[in-house]
PDB file of all heavy atoms in Angstrom:
ATOM      1  N   PRO W  60     117.022  89.685 112.168  1.00 91.00           N
ATOM      2  CA  PRO W  60     118.034  89.852 113.257  1.00 91.00           C
ATOM      3  C   PRO W  60     118.077  91.314 113.842  1.00 91.00           C
ATOM      4  O   PRO W  60     118.572  91.439 114.961  1.00 91.00           O
ATOM      5  CB  PRO W  60     119.327  89.505 112.655  1.00 91.00           C
ATOM      6  CG  PRO W  60     119.130  89.839 111.169  1.00 91.00           C
ATOM      7  CD  PRO W  60     117.737  89.510 110.943  1.00 91.00           C
ATOM      8  N   PHE W  61     117.602  92.250 113.096  1.00 93.00           N
ATOM      9  CA  PHE W  61     117.726  93.628 113.508  1.00 93.00           C
ATOM     10  C   PHE W  61     116.408  94.208 114.078  1.00 93.00           C
ATOM     11  O   PHE W  61     115.299  93.861 113.608  1.00 93.00           O
ATOM     12  CB  PHE W  61     118.132  94.585 112.398  1.00 93.00           C
ATOM     13  CG  PHE W  61     119.399  94.106 111.729  1.00 93.00           C
ATOM     14  CD1 PHE W  61     119.435  93.458 110.482  1.00 93.00           C
ATOM     15  CD2 PHE W  61     120.615  94.173 112.388  1.00 93.00           C
ATOM     16  CE1 PHE W  61     120.579  93.076 109.825  1.00 93.00           C
ATOM     17  CE2 PHE W  61     121.826  93.759 111.816  1.00 93.00           C
ATOM     18  CZ  PHE W  61     121.783  93.201 110.555  1.00 93.00           C
ATOM     19  N   THR W  62     116.477  94.841 115.209  1.00 94.00           N
ATOM     20  CA  THR W  62     115.285  95.433 115.832  1.00 94.00           C
ATOM     21  C   THR W  62     114.726  96.626 114.942  1.00 94.00           C
ATOM     22  O   THR W  62     115.561  97.094 114.078  1.00 94.00           O
ATOM     23  CB  THR W  62     115.632  95.955 117.237  1.00 94.00           C
ATOM     24  OG1 THR W  62     116.570  97.104 117.152  1.00 94.00           O
ATOM     25  CG2 THR W  62     116.237  94.841 118.190  1.00 94.00           C
ATOM     26  N   TYR W  63     113.597  97.029 115.306  1.00 96.00           N
ATOM     27  CA  TYR W  63     113.062  98.254 114.729  1.00 96.00           C
ATOM     28  C   TYR W  63     114.003  99.415 114.831  1.00 96.00           C
ATOM     29  O   TYR W  63     114.349 100.146 113.920  1.00 96.00           O
ATOM     30  CB  TYR W  63     111.686  98.594 115.211  1.00 96.00           C
ATOM     31  CG  TYR W  63     111.205  99.905 114.769  1.00 96.00           C
ATOM     32  CD1 TYR W  63     110.580 100.123 113.507  1.00 96.00           C
ATOM     33  CD2 TYR W  63     111.351 101.074 115.491  1.00 96.00           C
ATOM     34  CE1 TYR W  63     110.182 101.325 112.977  1.00 96.00           C
ATOM     35  CE2 TYR W  63     110.906 102.357 114.998  1.00 96.00           C
ATOM     36  CZ  TYR W  63     110.328 102.347 113.788  1.00 96.00           C
ATOM     37  OH  TYR W  63     109.925 103.638 113.279  1.00 96.00           O
ATOM     38  N   TYR W  64     114.526  99.568 116.062  1.00 96.00           N
ATOM     39  CA  TYR W  64     115.470 100.740 116.343  1.00 96.00           C
ATOM     40  C   TYR W  64     116.702 100.603 115.452  1.00 96.00           C
ATOM     41  O   TYR W  64     117.143 101.681 114.908  1.00 96.00           O
ATOM     42  CB  TYR W  64     115.786 100.754 117.805  1.00 96.00           C
ATOM     43  CG  TYR W  64     116.774 101.853 118.137  1.00 96.00           C
ATOM     44  CD1 TYR W  64     116.368 103.160 118.207  1.00 96.00           C
ATOM     45  CD2 TYR W  64     118.094 101.481 118.430  1.00 96.00           C
ATOM     46  CE1 TYR W  64     117.334 104.135 118.482  1.00 96.00           C
ATOM     47  CE2 TYR W  64     119.040 102.520 118.779  1.00 96.00           C
ATOM     48  CZ  TYR W  64     118.651 103.805 118.771  1.00 96.00           C
ATOM     49  OH  TYR W  64     119.516 104.760 119.048  1.00 96.00           O
ATOM     50  N   GLN W  65     117.261  99.416 115.376  1.00 95.00           N
ATOM     51  CA  GLN W  65     118.515  99.313 114.564  1.00 95.00           C
ATOM     52  C   GLN W  65     118.165  99.625 113.052  1.00 95.00           C
ATOM     53  O   GLN W  65     118.961 100.274 112.450  1.00 95.00           O
ATOM     54  CB  GLN W  65     119.046  97.823 114.677  1.00 95.00           C
ATOM     55  CG  GLN W  65     119.693  97.621 116.053  1.00 95.00           C
ATOM     56  CD  GLN W  65     119.846  96.092 116.256  1.00 95.00           C
ATOM     57  OE1 GLN W  65     119.126  95.219 115.933  1.00 95.00           O
ATOM     58  NE2 GLN W  65     121.146  95.831 116.749  1.00 95.00           N
ATOM     59  N   ARG W  66     117.051  99.153 112.604  1.00 96.00           N
ATOM     60  CA  ARG W  66     116.689  99.442 111.209  1.00 96.00           C
ATOM     61  C   ARG W  66     116.424 100.862 110.996  1.00 96.00           C
ATOM     62  O   ARG W  66     116.813 101.469 109.971  1.00 96.00           O
ATOM     63  CB  ARG W  66     115.451  98.598 110.802  1.00 96.00           C
ATOM     64  CG  ARG W  66     115.788  97.035 110.724  1.00 96.00           C
ATOM     65  CD  ARG W  66     114.701  96.197 110.367  1.00 96.00           C
ATOM     66  NE  ARG W  66     113.801  96.081 111.548  1.00 96.00           N
ATOM     67  CZ  ARG W  66     112.506  95.737 111.466  1.00 96.00           C
ATOM     68  NH1 ARG W  66     112.016  95.481 110.290  1.00 96.00           N
ATOM     69  NH2 ARG W  66     111.790  95.635 112.552  1.00 96.00           N
ATOM     70  N   TYR W  67     115.718 101.516 111.933  1.00 98.00           N
ATOM     71  CA  TYR W  67     115.519 102.993 111.913  1.00 98.00           C
ATOM     72  C   TYR W  67     116.893 103.697 111.784  1.00 98.00           C
ATOM     73  O   TYR W  67     117.076 104.598 110.944  1.00 98.00           O
ATOM     74  CB  TYR W  67     114.733 103.409 113.098  1.00 98.00           C
ATOM     75  CG  TYR W  67     114.391 104.953 113.195  1.00 98.00           C
ATOM     76  CD1 TYR W  67     113.235 105.373 112.632  1.00 98.00           C
ATOM     77  CD2 TYR W  67     115.344 105.824 113.662  1.00 98.00           C
ATOM     78  CE1 TYR W  67     112.924 106.674 112.612  1.00 98.00           C
ATOM     79  CE2 TYR W  67     115.015 107.130 113.701  1.00 98.00           C
ATOM     80  CZ  TYR W  67     113.851 107.582 113.164  1.00 98.00           C
ATOM     81  OH  TYR W  67     113.476 108.874 113.191  1.00 98.00           O
ATOM     82  N   ARG W  68     117.808 103.288 112.640  1.00 97.00           N
ATOM     83  CA  ARG W  68     119.165 103.980 112.607  1.00 97.00           C
ATOM     84  C   ARG W  68     119.880 103.682 111.299  1.00 97.00           C
ATOM     85  O   ARG W  68     120.466 104.667 110.762  1.00 97.00           O
ATOM     86  CB  ARG W  68     120.012 103.477 113.800  1.00 97.00           C
ATOM     87  CG  ARG W  68     119.584 104.019 115.072  1.00 97.00           C
ATOM     88  CD  ARG W  68     120.658 103.852 116.207  1.00 97.00           C
ATOM     89  NE  ARG W  68     121.903 104.372 115.823  1.00 97.00           N
ATOM     90  CZ  ARG W  68     123.040 103.689 115.959  1.00 97.00           C
ATOM     91  NH1 ARG W  68     123.060 102.447 116.358  1.00 97.00           N
ATOM     92  NH2 ARG W  68     124.194 104.251 115.462  1.00 97.00           N
ATOM     93  N   MET W  69     119.769 102.477 110.764  1.00 96.00           N
ATOM     94  CA  MET W  69     120.447 102.175 109.459  1.00 96.00           C
ATOM     95  C   MET W  69     119.878 103.157 108.371  1.00 96.00           C
ATOM     96  O   MET W  69     120.673 103.723 107.562  1.00 96.00           O
ATOM     97  CB  MET W  69     120.161 100.740 108.996  1.00 96.00           C
ATOM     98  CG  MET W  69     121.033  99.725 109.712  1.00 96.00           C
ATOM     99  SD  MET W  69     120.610  98.080 109.025  1.00 96.00           S
ATOM    100  CE  MET W  69     120.173  97.263 110.527  1.00 96.00           C
ATOM    101  N   ILE W  70     118.529 103.162 108.284  1.00 97.00           N
ATOM    102  CA  ILE W  70     117.882 103.871 107.256  1.00 97.00           C
ATOM    103  C   ILE W  70     118.168 105.352 107.390  1.00 97.00           C
ATOM    104  O   ILE W  70     118.504 106.056 106.426  1.00 97.00           O
ATOM    105  CB  ILE W  70     116.317 103.596 107.223  1.00 97.00           C
ATOM    106  CG1 ILE W  70     116.148 102.214 106.858  1.00 97.00           C
ATOM    107  CG2 ILE W  70     115.629 104.544 106.207  1.00 97.00           C
ATOM    108  CD1 ILE W  70     114.704 101.700 107.224  1.00 97.00           C
ATOM    109  N   GLY W  71     118.104 105.903 108.697  1.00 97.00           N
ATOM    110  CA  GLY W  71     118.375 107.251 108.933  1.00 97.00           C
ATOM    111  C   GLY W  71     119.798 107.627 108.477  1.00 97.00           C
ATOM    112  O   GLY W  71     119.983 108.731 107.868  1.00 97.00           O
TER     113      GLY W  71
END
Side-chain angles (χ1 to χ4, degrees):
F61 303 110
T62 65
Y63 172 82
Y64 177 72
Q65 290 170 314
R66 292 178 286 158
Y67 182 93
R68 285 195 55 230
M69 282 183 237
I70 295 166

